[in-house]
Amino acid sequence: MEVRMAVKEIKASELNTKEFIKDKTEEISSAVGAGTAINALSGGVDSSAVTMLGHKALQDRLKTYFVENGIMREGEPKRVVSLFKDLGVPVEIIDAKKEFFAALEGVTDPEQKREAITQTFYKKVFGRLVKESGAQFLLQGTILTDVDETIAGIKRQHNVFEQLGIDPQKAFGYKILEPLVQLRKDGVRKVAKELGLPESLYNRIPFPGPALSARVIGGVTPEKIEIVRKATAIVEDMLKESKAFQYMAILHDDRVTGIRDKKREFGMQIEIRCWESVDARTATPTRLSFDLLEALADRITREVPGVVSVTYNIAKKPPSTLEAV
Ligand code: XMP
């Protein structure tokens, strides 16, 4: 089995975006040849940059899908499809909600959760899409931090295979191309800007492949996802001016006693995290004002049903990580 050599990093400060785009479109064209490829667009910076690179290289020989897995943020499928429509890139929505929730049912261990999502994406959904479309390649937006953290055994990033000695051709029946794998987030943002993506996209905060299931501690159900989705929308809205690297809401597994309408309520807890970081390898919590934290708590406890407690994480990475799962 071929295990790829260590990836050579291109630092954002040394990156020539025009040259990078030219090199990568050539590499994609020559790898795919006369064949066809598919890719999944999640609406994050990485998959958006790959979508644009792939379309530059392959035009209509690349088919782009948005996999509606049921664990994305509020309003995402429509928003992403309409943004790319405006950029001239057609995106087809694939409804795979049932498959993802079925795979996640009863799974509480963080790595098993990640594995359940990996298998559903790559074996079930992409496997089927590749078969139906006749494509030989899957283009994806793996970046160097994903590879590092997987190899280091910190978190199984759902999009890393070859570096773990897994041959996607054998495991799933198609080849994977990763044009961004030499970059970190800051480099991808520069490339995304050069590719003509709007600022709302190239400066968008990172969002993990396992989506909101990385923000539910313990078992994932549609009901819990709905809670964390609502809290996420509030946190993203209220912290959008913070200029922080990333901010999120996490739903805890354990409940605490609260009081609502003068009655005891054994309710849920939301943890807010807001990070200062350059490349996600290390991070420190943003020193948000107490007024802002209080306003966040008020809105979350008022607008998200069943939530009676809101906390703010003040530990650095390491030993914390950015996501909770
Ligand atoms: P952690 O939680 O490991 O996250 O400190 C570092 C950065 O990576 C993002 N992240 C992921 N991105 N697939 C991705 O594409 C994943 O499985 C994944 N897990 C974490 C996280 O949001 C943070 O920006």
Side-chain angles (χ1 to χ4, degrees):
M1 185 181 314
E2 185 200 344
V3 178
R4 191 151 58 185
M5 301 293 288
V7 181
K8 192 177 174 310
E9 177 171 0
I10 304 175
K11 291 210 162 67
S13 56
E14 294 158 6
L15 173 69
N16 177 330
T17 50
K18 284 199 173 67
E19 231 167 69
F20 180 88
I21 292 167
K22 186 171 163 282
D23 290 351
K24 293 300 158 187
T25 40
E26 281 170 11
E27 276 173 40
I28 296 168
S29 297
S30 80
V32 176
T36 54
I38 65 164
N39 82 310
L41 171 66
S42 69
V45 193
D46 308 339
S47 69
S48 297
V50 165
T51 300
M52 295 307 281
L53 271 179
H55 276 272
K56 239 176 144 48
L58 305 172
Q59 285 94 37
D60 57 5
R61 283 182 302 129
L62 175 67
K63 182 123 184 55
T64 297
Y65 299 97
F66 180 99
V67 178
E68 166 54 301
N69 51 17
I71 50 179
M72 300 303 269
R73 283 171 288 183
E74 217 162 70
E76 250 344 56
K78 266 198 184 146
R79 204 191 56 79
V80 174
V81 171
S82 99
L83 196 150
F84 276 82
K85 193 173 173 210
D86 292 346
L87 293 165
V89 177
V91 180
E92 189 180 325
I93 298 181
I94 301 294
D95 184 355
K97 292 196 281 289
K98 278 200 188 118
E99 277 164 289
F100 279 89
F101 282 119
L104 285 164
E105 201 180 331
V107 184
T108 53
D109 176 79
E111 289 300 289
Q112 281 175 14
K113 259 194 312 208
R114 286 174 169 265
E115 187 58 23
I117 290 171
T118 300
Q119 291 301 328
T120 311
F121 259 118
Y122 289 88
K123 222 180 193 137
K124 283 196 137 169
V125 178
F126 294 156
R128 187 170 65 233
L129 292 176
V130 164
K131 232 184 242 151
E132 281 170 12
S133 66
Q136 305 79 39
F137 294 88
L138 173 74
L139 251 69
Q140 71 171 15
T142 318
I143 66 170
L144 197 46
T145 315
D146 302 338
V147 176
D148 283 350
E149 299 220 338
T150 301
I151 291 175
I154 297 168
K155 284 183 188 179
R156 170 75 170 88
Q157 307 273 322
H158 86 292
N159 50 4
V160 176
F161 301 104
E162 286 184 40
Q163 294 84 357
L164 290 176
I166 300 169
D167 178 352
Q169 180 81 64
K170 282 201 192 116
F172 311 122
Y174 50 83
K175 291 198 177 80
I176 294 185
L177 302 177
E178 299 169 323
L180 306 178
V181 77
Q182 290 170 277
L183 305 178
R184 294 193 189 272
K185 203 61 134 193
D186 43 353
V188 181
R189 292 194 197 286
K190 283 180 140 180
V191 170
K193 183 176 181 187
E194 183 67 37
L195 284 165
L197 289 163
E199 188 180 353
S200 60
L201 223 157
Y202 69 74
N203 268 341
R204 197 167 194 207
I205 56 169
F207 189 70
L212 294 174
S213 74
R215 298 178 180 173
V216 172
I217 301 175
V220 176
T221 60
E223 294 75 26
K224 284 184 174 178
I225 289 290
E226 199 43 43
I227 301 284
V228 85
R229 181 181 283 134
K230 283 202 166 85
T232 301
I234 295 170
V235 169
E236 290 196 356
D237 177 46
M238 292 187 74
L239 297 183
K240 62 176 184 272
E241 312 293 342
S242 68
K243 302 232 160 38
F245 176 82
Q246 197 169 3
Y247 29 89
M248 62 190 74
I250 291 155
L251 176 62
H252 281 232
D253 199 21
D254 49 346
R255 292 180 174 240
V256 289
T257 299
I259 174 163
R260 202 187 300 271
D261 302 330
K262 299 193 181 138
K263 281 204 195 91
R264 175 189 150 91
E265 182 174 323
F266 197 47
M268 288 173 278
Q269 303 190 70
I270 288 286
E271 175 187 334
I272 299 169
R273 295 182 176 195
C274 181
W275 296 107
E276 299 300 309
S277 180
V278 175
D279 55 19
R281 282 187 290 181
T282 60
T284 52
T286 306
R287 293 186 172 215
L288 296 176
S289 80
F290 211 89
D291 286 348
L292 182 52
L293 287 169
E294 239 174 22
L296 274 160
D298 284 348
R299 230 184 114 181
I300 291 171
T301 50
R302 210 174 39 240
E303 293 178 25
V304 189
V307 175
V308 297
S309 163
V310 177
T311 57
Y312 186 57
N313 173 62
I314 49 171
K316 297 184 176 84
K317 173 181 179 177
S320 191
T321 59
L322 274 72
E323 304 290 343
V325 168

